[in-house]
Structure formats: structure tokens, C-alpha cells
């Protein structure tokens, strides 16, 4: 049966660059645990010999030809950016 | 204790398609920031990637050229990590079912030819570029490069020395250039290399703890970084200190590697199959079609040059270094069939004039036609070897045709018997002392006489005839 620990939630939060308070961590752990338990019900089914389904459709080889089409106008590209300069997005420095 | 290095390389190659791997934006380098972006490569929610068929075929070409098995079914997976140059929050790569596996290439080493095995080749999308501000604590994000198709070629840990690593990389570069699937330029980032390296006592089977080296932007850097790392790790091991498994960055200015220390924490990429991209199925027809489109590869070409043109191994190797040089040679030989002579003139004279390491003669004034014409002029006795070298340099610098230059500048060899006789007689007459010396047995003075005749004819006298005429005249009495 699925069961998630506070440590695991903390780890996932860290990977997602999110920081939570102790209370929040506890709350999310409970919520995630409930979700996992619910989904975990699927494990009661016998899936012996059944291939996993990764996609809703059963097609293969969906290609496009190597042809350039116009990109988005730069005003639209940066429209949602909190800060941009000469077309570049400006973000807090990460090194 | 003597240590042996165990090295594996991960090489990223940017594919030279016109458009990106999952959208129709241009891959062209040097555009203003973010002008080659769209909702797909910007990672906006709800968009769907569609795979560029040419990128797959380019990757297949490399897989075939490196003797890999191509997986009939291969799929894309998401590799998750957060960084400002990766707008989707994941890279689309291949994990469980890569395009190709289990290949090898042969590389030149000090100990002869060695086979380096290739673990896998997979396709993925490139990230964007970050430029850090010098003054403010901000970075500028340019996503033009985001979505450029890449292949990653992962070697087995079969490489034993830094020289072998450089040799392996050069072979990879040669192959991608032969296949015309990438520029293969390390300085510009179209070929990138990370290295895994560990040491073990010579003769031991078990692997030691490895370090991953990054930030090497040239063949020299790769070699230097590995050399440094061997020194660092052996010092630690001899000291009884444990090696820490970590990523280290090469600092080219100091020639050392630094630990990245915790910068990227655990590799926890949470791979899972990308539900937005359907599997690639490669049937025999498609595979054969791509196989047939492969050019003759370097090793095969080199063998053929030795066989067909009777060239020594060294010549064949130099001439097949790039496909352009090999084509150049073959075009010249078609017009002037003395292969060894063509080879000598290309290797000794022409490559001396071109930039070092840049064997691309496609824009060179000395076309195969020019070279063939020049060599025919020597054969016909119109010009000497020495003059021919001058003419070659002139065409190389300014263009034009050899016969025209010879005519315009009056460079044709003087082979006229009576004209030469008169000059030779004059020289003998003007130098009685030297004549005496010669006749007294100092045969070396001959060089002086030849030199005098050459001076008077500005180097254009037929040397063979000058020698004969002089000997005749001096030995007469
Ligand atoms: Zn795009």
C-alpha cells in the first residue's frame, strides 16, 4: 500500500525548488498520502501479462518534415515575462 | 603502485537540421535573443511536440556509422530538472529504449588501432543559453537554442589514456562531418564532451570511484583535464584518501578541475515515458534506405585510396581526413592520373598554404583543375618544379590560371639550346678563375656556374640542359 513520508515530500519539494513551512509539509504529506492510497487501489487488480499503457492512442511514427516556419513575434514571446531586456528573459542569477 | 585510468566519454552532437527537433523554429545560430522561439520550444502549457523526421535519420546515420544496433522501437522520455535554460522543466530524451545500442569505432592509439565500444546513442533536445550579468545578480535567458536536435553518444569505459580520449573524439568528429549531420565544432559547442574517469591499480578488474568532468571546450581541454585528473586521483589514492564521486569543472586558465560541490545534488531525474510523443518504429525498408544514403566512410575510403591509387598509408590517411579533401584529390586525379604526384602536391604544397587543421579546399582558388593544369605544365617541361610552386602560391593568393600566369609573367622555362648555350658560354668566359679551379679537380664549382646561369635567366633555365651544356664546355679542354 502506498505511503508517503514527510522526508519524501521534502525531497520532491526540493527538486521542484519549492520551500514549505513545517505545517505546510505536514498538510501536503497527508493530502498526497490520501491521493496515493486512492490510486493504490489499482494495485488490487491482477495486471499479470498486461503491457503498461503510456499513451491514449496506438499510433507510431508521427513526424514533420524539416521545414522552418515563422516563430512567434518577440513581443508575444516576452509578453508574460515579469522582466525582459532586448528580447532576453531576465531571471535571478543562478550559478 | 601503478594506476590505470578507466575513461568513458559522453559526447553531445548538435544535428545540422534546418528546424528544431519538436517544432518548426529555425536552428540558425546568431539570431537576436528569443526570435527563434514558439509556444512549443518556450515550454508553454498545452502544446504538443512533433518530431522532425530528418533529425531521426541523421541520428540513424551516426548509429550505422558506429556499428550500433538500431532499436526497431524506440521511445522518448522526460528527464526532469529545474534550470532557467530549460523552460519545460524537463528535457525530452531517450532512456529505456534509446535509438541505438552496442556499437564500436576503431581509433588510432600509440599502441596501434583499438576498438572503443559504444554503449548507446540517443536523441534529445538542447537547452537554451544563459548569460550572466557582470554587475546585477541576474541572468539573461535566450531560448533560441532550446529544441535544437542533439544526439548523445555514450562510450563504454574502454578508453585508457587522455590521448586515446582525444583520438576517439576526433574520430567522432570525422564521422559526423563525413555524414554531414553536424559541424562537429567543439569551440562553438556543436560537439560537446563530458568525461567519466576513475583509476585502479594496473591489472585489477574492479572499477574505482569515478569523477565526472565537464566544461571542456576543445580537444586540448579534454586531454589536459584528464591528465590533471589522473595526477589528482593518483595522489589521493597513494595517500590513502578516498575518491569522492562528484562532478568537476575544468578550469582552462589554470589547467585544473574543481569540484562542483552539491550544485546539482542527487541525480534524481524522475524519468518517465513522454506521453506526448508516439514511439518511433524503424522497419527494414526505412533502415535500408538510410543505410544506402551513407557515404563511403573514412576507414573504407582510406583502404580504397591505398588499393586503387597505390598510395602509401600515410598519404591515404591525410587525404581521407575530411571528405572534402578526399573528393578534391579524386577530382584532381581524374584530370591528372599520376596519383602519388597529386598527393605530394596536395599534402606538401597546398595544405601548407591553407590554414592549419582546416582542410576545406572548397573555397580555395587552387581548384582540382588548376592543380592538374599546373602538374601537366611541369610534365611538358614548360615550367620547373620550383617555378610551379611559385605559380601555385600566386593562384592560391590571387586566383587565375597557371598557363596564363606563366605566360603573363614570362615564367616559361628556357629550353632553347642556342639561347642557353650563349648564356653558358658567357658565364664561363666571365669567370676564368672558377674555370681553373674546376679543371684542377674542384668539381664542386659546378654549383657556382649553375647558379650564375640561373641568375641570368631569373631561375627559368632548364636545369638539366644547363648542367649538360656546362659539363660539355668545361670538360672540353
Ligand atoms: Zn519553436
Amino acid at each position: 500500500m502506498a505511503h508517503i513520508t514527510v522526508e519524501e515530500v521534502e525531497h520532491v519539494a526540493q527538486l521542484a525548488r519549492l520551500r514549505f513551512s513545517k505545517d505546510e509539509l505536514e498538510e501536503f504529506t497527508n493530502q498526497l498520502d490520501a491521493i496515493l492510497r486512492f490510486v493504490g487501489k489499482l494495485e488490487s487488480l491482477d495486471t499479470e501479462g498486461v503491457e503498461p499503457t503510456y499513451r491514449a492512442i496506438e499510433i507510431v511514427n508521427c513526424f514533420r518534415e524539416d521545414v522552418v516556419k515563422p516563430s512567434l513575434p518577440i513581443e508575444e514571446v516576452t509578453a508574460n515575462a515579469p522582466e525582459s531586456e532586448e528580447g532576453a528573459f531576465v531571471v535571478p542569477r543562478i550559478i | 603502485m601503478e594506476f590505470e585510468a578507466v575513461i568513458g566519454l559522453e559526447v553531445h552532437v548538435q544535428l545540422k537540421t534546418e528546424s528544431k527537433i519538436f517544432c518548426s523554429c529555425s536552428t540558425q545560430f546568431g539570431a537576436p535573443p528569443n526570435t527563434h522561439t514558439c509556444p512549443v520550444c518556450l515550454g508553454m502549457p498545452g502544446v504538443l511536440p512533433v518530431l522532425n523526421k530528418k533529425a531521426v535519420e541523421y541520428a540513424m546515420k551516426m548509429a550505422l556509422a558506429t556499428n550500433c544496433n538500431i532499436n526497431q522501437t524506440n521511445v522518448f522520455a522526460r528527464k526532469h530538472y529545474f534550470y532557467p535554460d530549460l523552460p519545460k522543466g524537463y528535457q525530452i530524451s531517450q532512456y529505456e529504449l534509446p535509438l541505438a545500442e552496442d556499437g564500436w569505432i576503431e581509433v588510432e592509439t600509440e599502441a596501434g588501432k583499438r576498438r572503443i565500444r559504444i554503449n548507446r546513442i540517443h536523441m534529445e533536445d538542447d537547452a537554451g543559453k544563459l548569460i550572466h550579468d557582470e554587475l546585477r545578480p541576474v541572468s539573461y535567458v535566450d531560448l533560441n537554442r532550446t529544441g535544437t536536435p542533439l544526439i548523445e553518444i555514450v562510450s563504454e569505459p574502454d578508453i585508457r589514456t587522455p590521448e586515446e580520449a582525444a583520438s576517439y573524439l576526433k574520430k567522432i568528429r570525422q564521422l559526423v562531418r563525413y555524414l554531414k549531420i553536424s559541424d562537429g565544432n567543439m569551440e562553438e559547442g556543436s560537439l560537446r564532451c563530458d568525461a567519466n574517469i576513475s583509476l585502479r591499480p594496473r591489472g585489477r578488474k574492479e572499477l574505482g570511484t569515478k569523477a565526472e568532468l565537464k566544461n571542456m571546450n576543445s580537444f586540448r581541454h579534454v586531454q589536459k583535464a584528464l591528465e590533471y585528473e589522473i595526477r589528482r586521483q593518483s595522489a589521493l589514492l597513494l595517500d590513502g584518501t578516498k575518491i569522492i564521486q562528484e562532478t568537476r569543472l575544468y578550469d582552462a586558465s589554470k589547467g585544473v578541475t574543481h569540484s562542483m560541490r552539491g550544485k546539482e545534488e542527487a541525480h534524481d531525474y524522475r524519468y518517465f515515458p513522454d506521453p506526448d510523443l508516439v514511439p518511433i518504429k524503424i522497419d527494414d525498408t526505412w533502415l535500408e534506405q538510410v543505410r544506402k544514403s551513407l557515404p563511403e566512410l573514412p576507414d573504407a575510403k582510406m583502404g580504397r585510396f591505398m588499393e586503387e591509387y597505390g598510395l602509401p598509408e600515410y598519404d591515404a590517411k591525410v587525404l581521407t581526413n575530411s571528405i572534402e579533401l578526399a573528393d578534391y584529390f579524386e577530382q584532381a586525379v581524374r584530370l591528372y592520373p599520376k596519383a602519388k604526384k597529386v598527393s605530394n602536391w596536395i599534402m606538401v604544397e597546398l595544405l601548407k598554404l591553407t590554414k592549419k587543421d582546416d582542410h576545406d579546399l572548397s573555397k580555395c582558388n587552387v581548384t582540382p583543375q588548376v592543380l592538374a593544369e599546373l602538374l601537366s605544365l611541369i610534365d611538358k617541361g614548360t615550367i620547373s618544379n620550383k617555378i610551379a610552386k611559385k605559380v601555385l602560391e600566386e593562384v592560391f593568393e590571387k586566383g587565375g590560371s597557371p598557363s596564363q600566369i606563366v605566360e603573363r609573367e614570362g615564367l616559361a622555362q628556357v629550353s632553347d639550346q642556342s639561347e642557353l648555350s650563349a648564356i653558358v658560354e658567357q658565364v664561363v668566359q666571365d669567370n676564368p678563375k672558377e674555370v681553373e679551379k674546376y679543371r684542377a679537380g674542384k668539381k664542386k664549382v659546378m654549383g657556382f656556374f649553375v647558379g650564375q646561369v640561373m641568375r641570368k635567366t631569373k631561375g627559368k633555365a632548364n636545369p638539366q640542359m644547363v648542367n649538360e651544356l656546362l659539363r660539355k664546355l668545361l670538360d672540353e679542354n
Side-chain angles (χ1 to χ4, degrees), chain A residues 67-88:
Chain A
V67 177
V68 175
K69 287 185 188 156
S71 292
L72 211 56
I74 190 69
E75 309 77 48
E76 284 183 47
V77 172
T78 52
N80 295 326
E83 195 184 345
S84 69
E85 211 175 293
E86 288 172 51

Side-chain angles (χ1 to χ4, degrees), chain A residues 12-84:
Chain A
V12 175
Q14 200 184 11
L15 289 171
R17 305 280 184 268
L18 296 172
R19 216 171 288 148
F20 296 125
S21 69
K22 227 176 143 225
D23 289 348
E24 282 173 319
L25 270 178
E26 210 158 294
E27 189 188 343
F28 292 142
T29 304
N30 286 334
Q31 288 179 355
L32 286 168
D33 199 53
I35 294 167
L36 285 173
R37 276 176 203 278
F38 177 67
V39 177
K41 282 184 185 170
L42 290 172
E43 282 176 13
S44 63
L45 292 172
D46 180 11
T47 56
E48 192 66 31
V50 179
E51 283 288 309
T53 307
Y54 295 121
R55 292 158 195 89
I57 41 171
E58 291 281 317
I59 55 167
V60 296
N61 291 355
C62 194
F63 298 122
R64 29 172 282 275
E65 294 304 316
D66 183 28
V67 177
V68 175
K69 287 185 188 156
S71 292
L72 211 56
I74 190 69
E75 309 77 48
E76 284 183 47
V77 172
T78 52
N80 295 326
E83 195 184 345
S84 69

Side-chain angles (χ1 to χ4, degrees), chain B residues 20 23 25 37-38 41:
Chain B
K20 295 186 178 182
C23 65
C25 291
T37 60
C38 71
C41 56

Side-chain angles (χ1 to χ4, degrees), chain B residues 203-239:
Chain B
R204 190 85 68 78
K205 269 247 182 289
E206 309 89 87
L207 296 173
T209 307
K210 68 179 177 183
E212 190 184 0
L213 309 184
K214 285 180 184 283
N215 199 34
M216 302 167 290
N217 304 323
S218 73
F219 291 101
R220 238 176 66 85
H221 287 184
V222 173
Q223 211 169 319
K224 292 273 169 217
L226 287 168
E227 279 164 10
Y228 174 82
E229 198 56 22
I230 289 172
R231 287 199 300 276
R232 185 187 74 88
Q233 291 189 17
S234 19
L236 287 175
L237 290 169
L238 287 173
D239 204 35

Side-chain angles (χ1 to χ4, degrees), chain B residues 181-400:
Chain B
I181 60 172
S182 173
D183 295 332
N185 194 325
M186 278 198 86
E187 284 78 7
E188 286 169 15
S190 53
L191 189 90
R192 293 168 231 158
C193 176
D194 299 336
N196 289 302
I197 173 169
S198 63
L199 299 189
R200 65 183 171 195
R202 199 171 287 283
R204 190 85 68 78
K205 269 247 182 289
E206 309 89 87
L207 296 173
T209 307
K210 68 179 177 183
E212 190 184 0
L213 309 184
K214 285 180 184 283
N215 199 34
M216 302 167 290
N217 304 323
S218 73
F219 291 101
R220 238 176 66 85
H221 287 184
V222 173
Q223 211 169 319
K224 292 273 169 217
L226 287 168
E227 279 164 10
Y228 174 82
E229 198 56 22
I230 289 172
R231 287 199 300 276
R232 185 187 74 88
Q233 291 189 17
S234 19
L236 287 175
L237 290 169
L238 287 173
D239 204 35
T241 314
K242 263 185 122 184
I243 308 275
I244 307 162
Q245 181 161 345
E246 61 182 351
T247 302
R248 301 180 67 86
L249 294 183
Y250 180 63
D251 178 345
S253 63
K254 299 198 183 79
V256 301
T257 63
H258 292 297
S259 172
M260 267 179 82
R261 243 172 254 124
K263 275 278 151 58
E264 41 170 8
E265 294 132 48
H267 288 264
D268 191 348
Y269 292 131
R270 293 148 294 152
Y271 281 101
F272 65 73
D274 193 316
D276 288 346
L277 286 152
V278 303
I280 303 166
K281 258 223 154 80
I282 299 167
D283 60 13
D284 292 344
T285 321
W286 192 14
L287 190 61
E288 281 319 303
Q289 207 181 314
V290 175
R291 199 192 299 276
K292 277 195 196 118
S293 75
L294 293 183
E296 184 181 32
L297 295 174
D299 291 350
K301 204 182 270 294
M302 181 174 150
R304 183 171 64 78
F305 274 26
M306 290 166 69
E307 180 109 333
E308 194 176 326
Y309 301 113
L311 292 179
E313 187 177 341
Y314 178 79
D315 293 46
K317 198 183 160 199
V318 173
L319 293 173
T320 55
N321 187 30
S322 78
I323 201 164
E324 290 80 11
L325 185 61
D327 288 349
Y328 182 97
F329 166 78
E330 292 206 278
Q331 280 171 34
V333 168
R334 240 171 269 140
L335 301 164
Y336 179 89
K338 292 179 190 165
K340 178 58 182 154
K341 199 162 173 187
V342 173
S343 162
N344 287 346
W345 274 79
I346 293 177
M347 293 199 312
V348 182
E349 304 305 331
L350 200 52
L351 293 186
K352 190 173 71 190
L353 298 175
T354 56
K355 254 190 295 158
K356 233 187 155 193
D357 208 37
D358 179 10
H359 294 331
D360 184 8
L361 296 172
S362 58
K363 287 179 204 98
C364 175
N365 286 328
V366 183
T367 60
Q369 288 75 15
V370 166
L371 187 63
E373 189 188 332
L374 191 72
L375 298 184
S376 306
L377 287 176
I378 302 173
D379 283 0
K380 277 190 255 165
T382 312
I383 49 172
S384 65
N385 261 304
K386 221 172 151 186
I387 296 287
K389 286 176 195 174
K390 274 195 203 157
V391 175
L392 183 82
E393 275 173 43
E394 168 131 13
V395 178
F396 184 83
E397 299 290 342
K398 299 175 197 156

